[in-house]
Amino acid sequence: MTYRVETYEKTFAGHEPFIAQHRSSGFGILPASVQLEMALLGVAQRRAFAPLELVDVAFVRPFTVADDERVTGRLDVTFAERTRFELSAVTPDGRKAVSTGTGGPLPADARPPAAWEVTCPVPVPPERIYRGWAEAGLTYGPDFHTVRRLSVGDGTAEASLATVAQPVPWYSHPLLVDGVFQVVSCALQDLADGDAPGPMLPIGVARLALYANLSALTTGVTVRVRRTAVQDAWSVADAVLLDPAGQVVAELTGVRMRRLPAHRSAAAPGLLTRIEWTPADAPAPRRPATGTWVVLHDGGPDAAGAATVRALRADGARVVEVLPEGPAPATGADRRVMPRPDEAAFQRLWEEIGAPVEGVVHLWNTGPARPDQAELAAGLYACLAALKTLGQRQRSGRFLVATERAQPVAAGDAPEPARAALWGLVRTAAIEYPGLRPRLVDLDPASADALVAELGGDGPVEVGYRAGVRHEPVRVPLRASDSGRPPVRRDGRYLILGGHGGLGLAVARRLAGDGAGLVALVSRSGGTGADADALAGIESYGCRIASFAADVAAPGALTGVVAEIRQRFGDLHGVVHAAGALRDGLLRGTTAEDVAQVLRPKVDGLHELAAAVAGTDLDFAVLFASVSGTFGNLGQGGYAAANTYLDAYAHARGAPWTSVDWGLWGEVGMGTAVAEQLRRRGVRPLGTVEALDALMTVLRDDVRQVVIAHPDAPAGAPAAPATGTTPASTPAASPAPVPPATAPAAAASGPSPAGDVDAGRTEDGLAEFLAERLGIDGFDRTAPLTDYGINSIMSVELAEELSRRWRVTLPATLFLEYG
Ligand SMILES: NC(=O)c1ccc[n+]([C@@H]2O[C@H](COP(=O)([O-])OP(=O)(O)OC[C@H]3O[C@@H](n4cnc5c(N)ncnc54)[C@H](OP(=O)(O)O)[C@@H]3O)[C@@H](O)[C@H]2O)c1
């Protein structure tokens, strides 16, 4: 059967009062009350007013209009058993449903209900709610300031409404009905204790019954609201509108409203920082080197390696050169070839050298750049093997890593990501192997000689040379500039790798709240078991979710996903790479395979993503990296390496790529399990809203790398420099880890023994201490400490406390090393 359909169209311009005075996230929004008025007009076929009702109204997505835009609204009214209406926005991408429902005349004998009462003991100044909404990004112009007197109770609100706008022959008077939604929003929030109201959006009305024409009402109108249900994603209330005589003129039942994310105009102060390389003093003059040094270089006569070897030999030190390839040297010569620089090869090297190694200088990530795998094998993996095996043999020494073009030291530098990965590892090694004094020097070809000056030893962990000038990295505030362009397009399409994870879903929800029309989420699980509330929250903005099950590192998988998105929905406008996995553990127990597994989703995933979106004109491509990479982090050497790769990639590729070095998120994501421990140590995790606000601020700017984390704890607070998912510890003052049995040599009090000979008493003291701190009755000395859930943060805490009690300096890694 075919039904008669009537279609009405009206084009809305961004400057029209209804749109211009009703704005959220930088866009004008056609108010829900105007949509109801249009539906009433359509259902009544524009005849003179008669009592009417609308039923099962759903506000599917916001009808947004930019300032300089005109968007056509089209209302289709289908006259079937129930008259159905659908309002849609006509955009270049097609028609998008905005609101739907059914309606018709009220039965002739329908009478308005009696006006029910509500208890609302707490007066709230209306200016407070309008100001609070405006601060959170929802602004109402003067015509919409209809709430005159407001009081609230527990899930209730009562207000008087008035309007100064010129009377117009409406059915339902949109300004007053919008006032009803405003008062409903107040009833659904806890304003009684002085909280600022959050912005809310109507998403449905079970029934609107209009008993009288509201056009003529301007003052003396009363609204009463009572909450009827609270769901995860929305809350529900009933409302009645009374005329000045106290008669119910309109009744709204089952009004569903959803909270909008608060939109601050800028990130919270101090949250955004960046790394700036600033010129620094030359290093202090060095003392001549002694003992045995190992220089890993390529053997080229003019390179920094050759200069280093010459300088060390001139000092009188023994130098063993290790080359990646070449003819096998004569037996006994101080030259080796190490074509496969794995742990076994380094074990052999140290054994052959025999004597303790005074210093290692690694230069295999210098010279012309090679393919990633070759750079990683010679740099990241070789240094992991060298550090682990050397650390097993000796507690002190020097480990100097020289790279070329691994860091963005000077403006315009395009660092090699695979070399930058080595920096993340060595930053972590500086925390885990303080006795080996790992340091990093980034060179350019014009600074090859500079390395010799750094051999002396105890300078900062990181320096960079450009044209012979020494630089050091400094963390400085990022003064984000605003391009004025909203980062999220209305109805834009966005791809999120790791989109079903904690951060991925939070970002998807913010994109949806800011107007996105589609979020495509990718993970290996494809969303099985993903947070259903979070998914419902995204959809409640009228944003579609397309979930894909794919391994981002699998060759071609993302290309297939992006092709499907393009075909089903259209080109992408932005991408977020938030796929990642942890394999935490001290470097001494980390294998090359562990590192490779952490690199896979981040690094291989990045290359797959770049290939999949090649040629697409993206507004942004954000890489989720971590402060663990920027500063190194105890137990996260491989993870740090993966993240520094992302940082360098964004610098090297330029716009639209941006790498965000996140501190720990405290409410969602992979770090929540340790958030409380970190809080105790003075590290403030990121709140979800403030993190997303900061992200949006960054996306309005044009930056390549940004650190988003709370500043470190102030001096005097418990030592906890970390803002990563586990804390970077302040390296213990002791240059080398001290076994617990001999550590308390200087103990003067407490349960510990007085001398290093009484290992038994030390053990007793330790067991007592651990039982007390772990809150257990008996401590099994034969069980690994990890059985007691000791992680890197606890190790830092325990080592600090034991150091205080026993008045000794114990390394932060103590309880992990011997766990
Ligand atoms: N949470 C924090 O505090 C924090 C701090 C700094 C940086 N970050 C970074 O932010 C990103 C997101 O972290 P999160 O806290 O949201 O972690 P999460 O909750 O564990 O989510 C990670 C997501 O990545 C997906 N994933 C992992 N490997 C994948 C692969 N090979 N292919 C496709 N998807 C893969 C996971 O799903 P499947 O397992 O189903 O594939 C999951 O959806 C990570 O890169 C992390 O390093 C997080």
Side-chain angles (χ1 to χ4, degrees):
M1 186 183 299
T2 51
Y3 296 108
R4 186 167 62 86
V5 179
E6 281 187 6
T7 296
Y8 306 83
E9 282 197 354
K10 167 155 176 49
T11 299
F12 295 93
H15 57 77
E16 283 174 30
F18 271 144
I19 312 280
Q21 292 197 31
H22 190 256
R23 295 171 65 81
S24 174
S25 316
F27 290 105
I29 296 189
L30 185 69
S33 57
V34 176
Q35 298 177 36
L36 293 177
E37 173 71 18
M38 292 171 73
L40 288 164
L41 274 166
V43 166
Q45 297 170 73
R46 293 187 289 175
R47 296 203 187 95
F49 179 83
L52 280 172
E53 66 175 356
L54 296 179
V55 176
D56 292 336
V57 179
F59 299 105
V60 181
R61 57 163 55 83
F63 187 116
T64 51
V65 189
D67 292 350
D68 53 356
E69 204 181 18
R70 299 169 74 81
V71 182
T72 300
R74 170 179 162 149
L75 181 75
D76 292 315
V77 184
T78 309
F79 296 94
E81 291 89 54
R82 287 292 291 170
T83 303
R84 283 199 314 271
F85 71 87
E86 177 175 310
L87 174 67
S88 45
V90 184
T91 71
D93 290 344
R95 272 174 57 191
K96 305 258 163 68
V98 173
S99 47
T100 60
T102 63
L106 280 171
D109 58 352
R111 294 283 165 268
W116 33 264
E117 301 288 329
V118 281
T119 310
C120 300
V122 183
V124 179
E127 316 80 68
R128 198 183 108 205
I129 58 164
Y130 288 116
R131 199 177 49 242
W133 282 329
E135 282 169 3
L138 177 65
T139 49
Y140 289 103
D143 289 354
F144 283 88
H145 284 228
T146 50
V147 178
R148 290 293 185 275
R149 228 174 356 86
L150 171 69
S151 51
V152 296
D154 182 12
T156 54
E158 183 170 40
S160 67
L161 303 182
T163 166
V164 290
Q166 289 295 317
V168 177
W170 303 108
Y171 272 46
S172 64
H173 205 318
L175 292 171
L176 291 181
V177 172
D178 194 88
V180 174
F181 285 124
Q182 294 172 25
V183 180
V184 170
S185 160
C186 293
L188 295 179
Q189 304 185 50
D190 201 5
L191 302 186
D193 59 4
D195 278 3
M200 295 186 91
L201 192 76
I203 54 173
V205 177
R207 180 169 178 263
L208 161 67
L210 198 59
Y211 297 98
N213 184 335
L214 306 186
S215 300
L217 293 178
T218 51
T219 57
V221 186
T222 301
V223 191
R224 288 184 191 148
V225 181
R226 59 188 180 200
R227 187 170 59 204
T228 55
V230 179
Q231 307 279 341
D232 283 334
W234 63 79
S235 301
V236 192
D238 293 341
V240 282
L241 195 69
L242 315 181
D243 67 11
Q247 291 293 313
V248 172
V249 283
E251 185 187 22
L252 290 88
T253 45
V255 181
R256 291 196 309 284
M257 293 192 86
R258 179 172 47 69
R259 209 180 245 278
L260 279 173
H263 293 267
R264 277 199 290 271
S265 55
L271 221 51
L272 301 184
T273 50
R274 67 189 173 85
I275 304 301
E276 185 175 283
W277 287 84
T278 54
D281 291 342
R286 66 184 185 90
R287 283 205 296 272
T290 55
T292 302
W293 285 70
V294 174
V295 180
L296 301 120
H297 70 123
D298 67 3
D302 302 321
T308 303
V309 172
R310 271 198 307 276
L312 288 168
R313 289 205 172 121
D315 285 349
R318 176 190 170 202
V319 180
V320 177
E321 295 175 74
V322 184
L323 314 184
E325 58 195 16
T331 319
D334 270 346
R335 234 177 198 229
R336 304 276 190 288
V337 174
M338 194 186 275
R340 223 182 117 88
D342 55 14
E343 287 183 34
F346 277 104
Q347 291 282 19
R348 271 198 308 278
L349 176 67
W350 311 134
E351 273 160 27
E352 282 168 24
I353 290 173
V357 174
E358 185 62 35
V360 176
V361 187
H362 174 278
L363 292 115
W364 281 352
N365 269 179
T366 57
R370 290 155 295 170
D372 261 18
Q373 283 317 316
E375 292 289 348
L376 291 170
L380 177 68
Y381 292 106
C383 280
L384 172 67
L387 279 160
K388 273 178 72 176
T389 50
L390 188 64
Q392 279 162 12
R393 294 172 63 89
Q394 58 185 68
R395 304 258 157 170
S396 60
R398 286 182 191 153
F399 200 97
L400 185 64
V401 172
T403 53
E404 265 178 27
R405 298 178 316 281
Q407 291 298 308
V409 178
D413 278 359
E416 289 294 331
R419 293 179 176 182
L422 174 56
W423 279 59
L425 180 95
V426 177
R427 284 169 180 155
T428 300
I431 296 163
E432 295 187 14
Y433 292 103
L436 294 180
R437 285 176 284 176
R439 294 187 58 218
L440 289 150
V441 183
D442 194 51
L443 302 167
D444 65 359
S447 310
D449 288 344
L451 186 59
V452 172
E454 298 291 342
L455 291 173
D458 298 321
V461 172
E462 302 177 30
V463 292
Y465 282 87
R466 289 297 179 266
V469 179
R470 192 181 199 230
H471 292 71
E472 283 179 31
V474 183
R475 186 175 172 186
V476 296
L478 174 80
R479 313 221 175 282
S481 57
D482 191 338
S483 63
R485 163 180 66 91
V488 183
R489 294 192 190 208
R490 185 164 52 80
D491 285 331
R493 293 176 286 274
Y494 301 94
L495 170 67
I496 306 179
L497 311 187
H500 301 105
L503 272 52
L505 283 171
V507 171
R509 191 170 176 148
R510 169 55 69 91
L511 296 177
D514 285 4
L518 172 82
V519 287
L521 311 180
V522 180
S523 64
R524 286 165 302 180
S525 62
T528 317
D531 181 346
D533 285 345
L535 293 170
I538 294 166
E539 282 173 329
S540 69
Y541 290 105
C543 178
R544 292 174 76 171
I545 300 174
S547 279
F548 295 87
D551 180 344
V552 296
L558 274 181
T559 299
V561 167
V562 171
E564 187 179 333
I565 295 169
R566 191 174 288 135
Q567 194 226 327
R568 280 171 58 194
F569 308 104
D571 263 336
L572 288 167
H573 298 113
V575 296
V576 177
H577 179 5
L582 294 175
R583 266 209 189 189
D584 290 356
L586 295 180
L587 289 174
R588 68 195 76 227
T590 298
T591 63
E593 178 55 22
D594 291 329
V595 174
Q597 284 308 321
V598 180
L599 254 57
R600 239 186 129 257
K602 292 223 174 218
V603 171
D604 296 3
L606 169 58
H607 289 293
E608 290 299 321
L609 174 64
V613 298
T616 308
D617 187 14
L618 297 171
D619 296 337
F620 58 78
V622 187
L623 309 176
F624 276 19
S626 165
V627 291
S628 294
T630 332
F631 307 114
N633 199 12
L634 183 71
Q636 293 200 309
Y639 181 71
N643 286 306
T644 42
Y645 188 105
L646 303 189
D647 294 339
Y649 185 92
H651 283 287
R653 289 289 298 268
W657 299 91
T658 298
S659 185
V660 177
D661 301 336
W662 289 111
L664 180 96
W665 288 47
E667 293 155 3
V668 292
M670 52 168 67
T672 46
V674 295
E676 193 41 49
Q677 285 174 310
L678 283 171
R679 271 191 204 98
R680 282 205 308 274
R681 296 186 50 70
V683 176
R684 196 169 140 209
L686 290 163
T688 306
V689 172
E690 67 179 353
L692 293 169
D693 284 341
L695 178 65
M696 290 302 150
T697 305
V698 169
L699 294 187
R700 274 193 289 270
D701 199 348
D702 181 29
V703 285
R704 303 286 68 83
Q705 182 189 357
V706 57
V707 176
I708 306 183
H710 282 288
D712 293 342
T723 31
T725 49
T726 55
S729 102
T730 306
S734 160
V738 186
T742 56
S749 66
S752 63
D756 61 353
V757 287
D758 194 347
R761 279 190 61 199
T762 307
E763 242 186 64
D764 292 347
L766 240 173
E768 212 174 288
F769 168 73
L770 285 171
E772 175 200 321
R773 292 294 275 106
L774 298 173
I776 50 178
D777 288 339
F779 180 76
D780 177 359
R781 296 178 195 195
T782 59
L785 287 178
T786 44
D787 282 6
Y788 291 100
I790 292 189
N791 60 17
S792 55
I793 304 170
M794 283 179 78
S795 170
V796 175
E797 285 176 342
L798 292 171
E800 281 176 0
E801 178 155 1
L802 200 57
S803 300
R804 269 195 304 277
R805 285 196 193 183
W806 287 3
R807 298 192 198 161
V808 289
T809 306
L810 298 169
T813 52
L814 181 70
F815 291 94
L816 293 179
E817 278 179 66
Y818 297 94

